[in-house]
Amino acid sequence: MAQKSLEGWTNSESPWVPERCLSVTVRGPWGHFRRVEGNVVKQTYRIIPRTTVAGLLAAVLGIERDGYYELFGPEQSAIAIEPVDDLRTVNMPVNALSTADENLQSLNARGKVSVKLPDPTDLRQQHNYEVLVDPAYRIDVALGDEKRYRELRETLEAGKSHYVPSLGLSEYLAELEFHGEFTIEDGATDGVVAVDSAVPDAVDDVVLDRKTRCGIEESPAFMTVDAGGRTTTAFTEYVYNPAAEPLEVRDVDTSVTDGRTVVFV
């Protein structure tokens, strides 16, 4: 093995492989991670998307919007996502005002500062949101950027966050519980193994029986900045147990950290 520049990182010409990770549970009373496919009902992913995890951790670090995609890129980061509690949803109707330019009016238009707000006399539009109830996920994250990794560790240890973390929507505030820093060890790669985390890109490898609950969803994994703002560059298809129990999978590369079997992506 090549000489390490910092415990947890290996310098070599091969793809970056993390040896240590930070582990944190994020939870809240409500959550909504809007599915990219359009629908009258604004449906939510059950498993928090990897891109949302990246945005949440970037908020902890105080990184501006669209400024963290490289930090959480496929060759610079590794993330495992484990549901902690049952994944339950309810449909919640929400009355909203349009924020289209033609529906905004200026306040203090004659002053130096002008603020545009929706016209309160307009008719409300009702949207149905599918909302997660008491969502909680344990996140294991490793970063190739040593400086940012240390900064994230110190910030989480101090129980601080630069921006207020949320679960999808800004009004769905999140609570973070930092568990610590743990080594990442190679797990089983052959045969059947029980995996605690959601398992990426392994739908055909799940071992099912009548007692096993199983869900499948494809969500954004990586993004990049472009002329129009940001673009999703890759998706991950997760298979998971809605009851937050392990799934048995066959011939999947796994890792072990803090006594749990997970799969990073």
PDB file of all heavy atoms in Angstrom, residues 33 127 214:
ATOM      1  N   PHE A  33     -38.253  15.064  -0.435  1.00  0.00           N
ATOM      2  CA  PHE A  33     -37.216  15.068  -1.464  1.00  0.00           C
ATOM      3  C   PHE A  33     -37.907  14.822  -2.798  1.00  0.00           C
ATOM      4  O   PHE A  33     -38.153  13.680  -3.180  1.00  0.00           O
ATOM      5  CB  PHE A  33     -36.178  13.980  -1.171  1.00  0.00           C
ATOM      6  CG  PHE A  33     -35.729  13.946   0.271  1.00  0.00           C
ATOM      7  CD1 PHE A  33     -36.009  12.859   1.078  1.00  0.00           C
ATOM      8  CD2 PHE A  33     -35.057  15.031   0.831  1.00  0.00           C
ATOM      9  CE1 PHE A  33     -35.612  12.822   2.396  1.00  0.00           C
ATOM     10  CE2 PHE A  33     -34.654  15.009   2.158  1.00  0.00           C
ATOM     11  CZ  PHE A  33     -34.935  13.903   2.942  1.00  0.00           C
ATOM     12  N   HIS A 127     -51.516  22.581  -3.790  1.00  0.00           N
ATOM     13  CA  HIS A 127     -50.668  21.493  -4.267  1.00  0.00           C
ATOM     14  C   HIS A 127     -50.645  20.396  -3.206  1.00  0.00           C
ATOM     15  O   HIS A 127     -50.617  20.680  -2.006  1.00  0.00           O
ATOM     16  CB  HIS A 127     -49.234  21.989  -4.512  1.00  0.00           C
ATOM     17  CG  HIS A 127     -49.133  23.097  -5.507  1.00  0.00           C
ATOM     18  ND1 HIS A 127     -49.176  22.889  -6.864  1.00  0.00           N
ATOM     19  CD2 HIS A 127     -49.003  24.435  -5.336  1.00  0.00           C
ATOM     20  CE1 HIS A 127     -49.063  24.052  -7.500  1.00  0.00           C
ATOM     21  NE2 HIS A 127     -48.966  25.005  -6.596  1.00  0.00           N
ATOM     22  N   CYS A 214     -39.388  -4.622   0.390  1.00  0.00           N
ATOM     23  CA  CYS A 214     -38.341  -4.119  -0.503  1.00  0.00           C
ATOM     24  C   CYS A 214     -38.899  -2.982  -1.352  1.00  0.00           C
ATOM     25  O   CYS A 214     -39.998  -3.090  -1.913  1.00  0.00           O
ATOM     26  CB  CYS A 214     -37.831  -5.250  -1.392  1.00  0.00           C
ATOM     27  SG  CYS A 214     -36.533  -4.757  -2.536  1.00  0.00           S
TER      28      CYS A 214
END
